[in-house]
Amino acid sequence: MKLRFTTFLFILFLFTGPSLLVNTAAAQNLRIKDYNNNGWYMYFGDHKLSDKWGVHTELQVRRFNVLKDPQQLLIRTGINYNMTPDAMFTLGYGFIETHPYGDYPAASTFPEQRIYQQLQLKGSLGRIGLTHRYRLEQRWVKPAGADDYTYLNRARYFLKATLPLAGSSLEAKEPYLAAYDEVFVGFGENVKQNVFDQNRLYFALGFKFSDAASAEVGYLNQIVQKANGVVFEHNHTLQLGLTYNLDFR
């Protein structure tokens, strides 16, 4: 998949636009910054059942103060449909449990349930491997102390680049560098203040053990606008991720 000039400009905006958006908003309103140090420990797997169909599995244990205190538990699964070798559609479900953390915590632990639709595209730009991910989420969040769930809509765009360190392409038993940016935008009548929901910028060192397995250790800079539109979290996050894809064909 070759990258055209317009796509390049969009990628440039992706990496610079969120910070401009946040800075513009900050100039208009009083903002409170909440700085946190977190650790996210993650497993991902896309398991093929046939040439076209497969299953997605995912578990993320997120900790506040890097490891000491609970922050969030995320369990996500889905059904994959491989349209081409480089294009995959997923329909899935996620359960998230969020704990109080930071200087402006929630009143108590609260749950969230999601349904999501996702299109993932793979390509390259020279030696750099690219992954685009477009995701729509329908979210049911039960805030601390509330009797009922609140329904929210959110769109996400994710762009990841990988650079092999041992050759012109990434092969098994080789290291690589990785970087991604993901923008979250809320929409719908219940979004209120945080149309800009969050942005995640990530850099990592990875190792590809085999065609099925890889691991990454990296740093995530996460900016989150809380629902009140006033508090902005600036989360410095250690990420440890394992990907292991099983083939049941």
Side-chain angles (χ1 to χ4, degrees), residues 56-106:
H56 176 77
T57 56
E58 182 177 341
L59 174 65
Q60 298 192 34
V61 178
R62 298 173 176 177
R63 306 289 292 182
F64 176 55
N65 289 325
V66 183
L67 191 59
K68 180 181 176 182
D69 302 307
Q71 182 199 19
Q72 203 170 55
L73 172 68
L74 185 149
I75 301 170
R76 188 155 38 214
T77 188
I79 300 297
N80 295 332
Y81 179 73
N82 296 284
M83 296 179 288
T84 72
D86 296 324
M88 181 172 69
F89 176 79
T90 303
L91 174 64
Y93 166 80
F95 173 80
I96 300 90
E97 183 178 70
T98 301
H99 297 260
Y101 69 93
D103 292 334
Y104 301 88

Side-chain angles (χ1 to χ4, degrees), residues 182-194:
E182 185 170 18
V183 181
F184 296 60
V185 177
F187 63 95
E189 61 180 350
N190 291 325
V191 169
K192 299 180 181 178
Q193 299 297 324
N194 56 334

Side-chain angles (χ1 to χ4, degrees), residues 25 74 78 108 114 142 223:
L74 185 149
S108 62
R114 297 178 191 168
K142 191 174 183 181
I223 300 174

Side-chain angles (χ1 to χ4, degrees), residues 106-112 140-152:
S108 62
T109 300
F110 64 91
E112 176 183 344
W140 288 266
V141 181
K142 191 174 183 181
D147 294 327
D148 298 314
Y149 283 85
T150 298
Y151 175 72
L152 300 166

Side-chain angles (χ1 to χ4, degrees), residues 8 11 14 32 37 52-53 86 102 108 125-126 130 132 152 158 164 174 191-192 212 224 228:
F8 171 77
I11 293 171
L14 174 69
I32 299 173
N37 297 311
K52 291 293 186 181
W53 296 96
D86 296 324
S108 62
L125 181 63
L130 298 175
H132 302 263
L152 300 166
F158 166 100
E174 291 183 356
V191 169
K192 299 180 181 178
V224 181
N228 58 21

Side-chain angles (χ1 to χ4, degrees), residues 146-184:
D147 294 327
D148 298 314
Y149 283 85
T150 298
Y151 175 72
L152 300 166
N153 291 293
R154 189 164 67 184
R156 300 166 56 167
Y157 175 68
F158 166 100
L159 173 62
K160 183 175 183 178
T162 57
L163 176 66
L165 295 177
S168 59
S169 62
L170 182 58
E171 306 295 338
K173 299 182 180 180
E174 291 183 356
Y176 62 92
L177 296 177
Y180 74 67
D181 193 89
E182 185 170 18
V183 181
F184 296 60

